Amino acid sequence: MEIFNKKLTSVDLERQLALPNNTKTKALPFDGPGDIVIPITIGHGGVQVDVRCSWKAGRLALTEGWVEIARNLRLNAGDIVALKSEGHGRYKMTVRSGSA
């Protein structure tokens, strides 16, 4: 199940990935506002990264770990990322180039 997809902005790449308003929050293991760490498998290479997801004032964002992912994958503004639940607490992120 797709949790969200988003076209990246420069702010997303430099600070944190603010998740869209239509993010399926029930697919994430929150018990209420706060922070959780979710293991995300990146692309087809299968590298797993633990990323902190924060829920504050009704807004969700990927914080710690996200900027490193963006740099390592050489993401650019305009690229599109999608996060999917693979069940049993596993998540996978895919990336599409915005220039394609």
Side-chain angles (χ1 to χ4, degrees):
M1 166 202 329
E2 186 170 276
I3 298 171
F4 74 86
N5 69 62
K6 182 176 184 187
K7 188 173 187 176
L8 298 175
T9 67
S10 60
V11 172
D12 292 328
L13 297 170
E14 295 167 5
R15 296 188 190 151
Q16 63 183 13
L17 177 59
L19 304 188
N21 290 334
N22 64 350
T23 298
K24 294 179 176 71
T25 56
K26 299 230 185 274
L28 297 169
F30 279 106
D31 288 329
D35 292 356
I36 58 172
V37 175
I38 55 175
I40 298 176
T41 302
I42 307 297
H44 302 293
V47 174
Q48 183 174 306
V49 179
D50 289 336
V51 178
R52 183 168 302 279
C53 186
S54 297
W55 183 4
K56 295 178 183 160
R59 296 292 313 199
L60 284 168
L62 297 183
T63 57
E64 291 177 34
W66 163 251
V67 172
E68 292 79 9
I69 290 172
R71 286 183 185 144
N72 288 337
L73 294 177
R74 295 186 174 124
L75 298 178
N76 296 299
D79 289 348
I80 299 167
V81 296
L83 184 68
K84 296 180 181 181
S85 171
E86 296 192 313
H88 305 290
R90 296 186 336 235
Y91 302 89
K92 183 172 184 177
M93 181 173 281
T94 56
V95 179
R96 282 194 340 251
S97 172
S99 62

